Amino acid sequence: MIEELRQRLQMMQKPAGLEDGPGALPLGIPAVDDALGGGLARGALHEVAAPGEAHLTAATGFVLGLASGGQARVCWIAEDMAKLESGAPYGPGLDTFSLAPERLLTVSVARPRDLLWAMEEALRCRAIGAVIGELRHGALDAVSVRRLSLAAADSGALALLLRAQPGSDASTAATRWIAGAAPSAARAFEFGAPRFAAHLTRNRRGPTGSWILEWSDTHERFVLTTPAVPVAAPPLDRPHRQTPSRHVA
Amino acid sequence: MPAGPLGVAGKRGNAEVLVGIDDTAERRGLHIGLGLAQARAMHPALDVVPEDAGADAGLLESIADWCLRYTPLVACDAPDGLLLDITGCTHLYNGEHALVADLAGRIERAGFAYRLAIAGTIGAAWAAAHYGKPESYASGEERAVLAPLPLGALRLPPATVAALARVGLKRIGDILPLPRAPLTARFGSDLMRQLDRALGAEHEPLSPRLPVAPYVTEERFAEPIGREEDVLGTIEKLAVRLAFVLERRGDGARRLELALFRTDGEVRRIAAGTSRPLRNPHDIRTLFSERLAALADALDPGFGFDMARLSVMVAEPAPPEQIGMGGAEDAIEIGRLADRLSARLGAQRVRRLIALDSHIPELAAATVPVQAAAKDDGWAAFCRHRTEAELPPRPLRLLMRPEPIEAVAEVPDGPPLRFKWRRAFHDVIAAEGPERIEGAWWSEHGGPARDYFRVEDKAGLRFWLFRAGLYRDFAPGSAPNWFLHGTYA
């Protein structure tokens, strides 16, 4: 009896999601979590690209939805260019994705090299739960990506790379996503919750997949709007086949 | 090198005159203030260089910085003098004479001509250095020192000196016994004030060139150091000493400055800011190692640094460090990260978000450097206001400034049906609004009221648009101006 209570106490004292190594961050959607092998791996690098420049804010929302879990601080590192091109993160809008603005630390850098350095530094900080690097264009060299992955593995924090366009380079990221906007369940004068067409195009732990996800304000997590039947991976060379509107419930 | 006379010429009033000459020129009868044409007539071989006042001032400042090795209170006395307050510093050199000998030796080796005097007041030291015997005089001797010197030694304007000379007053000793009131009435209050200051009857403040640090520690090296690891090691050693003093007084450093004195007289100063009062020596070392790594020009030690000084430029009360306090520990970790990033990238690049008390979207939120003084971030107040006013959701990213778009609306005061932004057309399938946000009507540049709409296009992209100005204000036939201000996920 006492032994059992002790074990329960131990379980409660451990921070959630850190039971087993860095552990995984479940999205709370069985279909996605199964593909990811339990959830988004902590302590690993994940790459999220918008299908095109116009979808960058949607991809930003997707990244924030992944990063905002827990109460730890989030560090957002972007090049000066990003702020001019796509706008700066706007405090009053951040908590749409359950990120309280006071949790965010923003860093602007002049060069991509500084961005990677700053990401590595931020990953080393124990008080940071997720590091978002907005590297819009340009190829990543394998060494920096490897360094980022290692830094993330050491700290257990989520490392997220946000890109304006899907990269064609080989990457050692644990997962690669292409996330863009999908039409919401909006009617003429009423908005629905934001929806995302999320394509998991690379997954080191399991199969790839495509889902239409909706951010649920009440649950503070993504929910699935597609039927829970697995969808075949989209042919990457024919993205038009995967028109998201087909899946709107 | 040709031993011809050398002179520096500059404009004084309307004439080109000699403002500086070398020894050879002096021996040949030239003097400062002589007209250039006349000097050339006397010595056609005279080599003349134009004056560069800016460079002179720069050189004086760099010598002033170098003098910081003797005392933190160094002031420039343009155009060619330096004032050092060595009160309480002489024991570091075993007395005034040793200090003067050290200073004189180094100045001479650097190739400068100099005159040095030490006295109890600025005025007396200045007078002795410029007109008297450059020596060291104790406090109280001012009267004896000054009496035989000409009145120009009181740092008076030449007109006053000339006026005094006309009535036969040439030396300071001449005016010492005279009644003060008539002198003041005739020659102005400056004369008596300068005299009092030189005699020590009135205090004369010294305005140091650089702010004086509340905490300073320094280290001199018998053998100059040059490697970066040695510099960092020295920083940590100095930081350990600082930490001891800081802790006793309950202070922490918010701004630190490292001064490295090169053997050839160059002084390299490197500053680093912190986001919270800091006194952990290891943190201070890390901070400077980032600063050194970020230096655009590498730390050039030349023939080595023979002295290093670490000063706390700004200190702030800091409670004793608590270990293992959960949230507090996180804050310390974040502070460390912010310091490292700021040291390398610049404090302006590492920021946090704050809410401001404004209803205008671009003014409602701002970012401040993490290292800036910690103030209430305002989000609690913002959230209360949002709930009370039932504000619609705000965009995730706000453009730096609203961008004009071409929009077609069905009804003049309704949302647009279609719009063009950055060369792409968007068909609106859903819209919410308007949310009317008044301009800053109290200001001339406040701009018109805006009607904001949230719109979604066919692809699911969401935007925050507004129409500037109320529909009823538009002249018939003129199209309203539409802007895109932000994007939603």
Side-chain angles (χ1 to χ4, degrees), chain B residues 249-321:
Chain B
R249 298 227 201 130
D251 272 353
R254 283 300 303 270
R255 191 159 184 77
L256 289 148
E257 191 184 88
L258 173 73
L260 294 167
F261 293 77
R262 243 162 64 166
T263 40
D264 60 2
E266 281 277 318
V267 182
R268 190 70 195 260
R269 286 203 303 264
I270 300 157
T274 68
S275 58
R276 78 216 132 85
L278 191 73
R279 57 176 173 242
N280 182 337
H282 184 72
D283 287 354
I284 292 177
R285 181 198 163 122
T286 319
L287 203 60
F288 276 103
S289 84
E290 292 302 345
R291 283 294 287 133
L292 293 182
L295 286 180
D297 46 340
L299 191 65
D300 174 16
F303 295 106
F305 301 110
D306 62 351
M307 185 173 137
R309 167 184 290 155
L310 186 65
S311 329
V312 176
M313 303 310 284
V314 180
E316 225 173 59
E321 294 213 355

Side-chain angles (χ1 to χ4, degrees), chain B residues 390-414:
Chain B
E390 291 179 21
L391 292 184
R394 291 288 183 244
L396 197 53
R397 304 184 79 137
L398 196 75
L399 295 176
M400 299 293 276
R401 53 179 57 85
E403 292 181 11
I405 51 173
E406 292 167 27
V408 185
E410 189 176 24
V411 282
D413 53 353

Side-chain angles (χ1 to χ4, degrees), chain A residues 54-58 60-61 64 73 75-76 80 82-97 101-102 104-110 114 117-118 121-122 124-128 134 136 162 181-184 186-196, chain B residues 290 329-331 333-334 336-338 340-341 344-345 348-353 360-365 367 370 377 379-380 382-383 386 393-400 403 415 421-422 426 429-433 454-464 487-489:
Chain A
H55 288 263
L56 184 64
T57 307
T60 308
L64 283 182
R73 305 286 193 102
C75 184
W76 178 324
D80 296 334
K83 207 157 78 176
L84 296 172
E85 279 279 312
S86 317
Y90 185 50
L94 288 175
D95 55 2
T96 314
F97 292 94
E102 53 264 42
L104 189 70
L105 184 74
T106 64
V107 181
S108 61
V109 295
D114 289 339
W117 172 83
E121 283 295 313
R124 295 236 167 79
C125 177
R126 275 176 294 149
I128 297 271
E134 185 176 347
R136 302 164 62 83
L162 175 62
S184 73
R187 284 175 290 278
F189 285 100
E190 195 187 345
F191 260 48
R195 282 191 179 174
F196 303 92
Chain B
E290 292 302 345
E329 209 177 345
D330 272 5
E333 284 286 325
I334 293 288
R336 276 195 191 133
L337 172 67
R340 277 204 305 277
L341 294 173
R344 177 88 161 244
L345 305 167
Q348 292 303 316
R349 290 182 167 277
V350 184
R351 306 174 85 93
R352 62 196 178 88
L353 304 175
I360 298 169
E362 59 266 38
L363 303 179
T367 61
V370 175
D377 55 24
W379 291 113
F382 173 81
C383 289
R386 182 168 60 183
R394 291 288 183 244
L396 197 53
R397 304 184 79 137
L398 196 75
L399 295 176
M400 299 293 276
E403 292 181 11
W421 175 53
R422 292 187 180 173
H426 300 272
I429 56 156
E432 246 183 32
R454 294 202 288 151
V455 303
E456 182 173 326
D457 78 354
K458 267 188 192 156
L461 301 173
R462 296 148 168 248
F463 304 94
W464 206 34
T487 48
Y488 290 90

Side-chain angles (χ1 to χ4, degrees), chain B residues 8-81:
Chain B
V8 179
K11 249 194 152 100
R12 292 291 179 273
N14 268 334
E16 286 273 334
V17 297
L18 289 178
V19 295
I21 48 174
D22 72 347
D23 284 345
T24 325
E26 197 167 8
R27 276 199 301 277
R28 300 212 182 153
L30 299 177
H31 58 91
I32 288 172
L34 190 68
L36 182 61
Q38 202 182 344
R40 280 227 164 99
M42 288 162 69
H43 293 284
L46 181 68
D47 201 0
V48 178
V49 182
E51 184 189 21
D52 183 350
D56 284 349
L59 177 65
L60 189 66
E61 281 179 7
S62 73
I63 301 175
D65 284 0
W66 173 82
C67 285
L68 288 172
R69 60 196 294 130
Y70 298 105
T71 165
L73 288 162
V74 178
C76 288
D77 177 38
D80 54 5

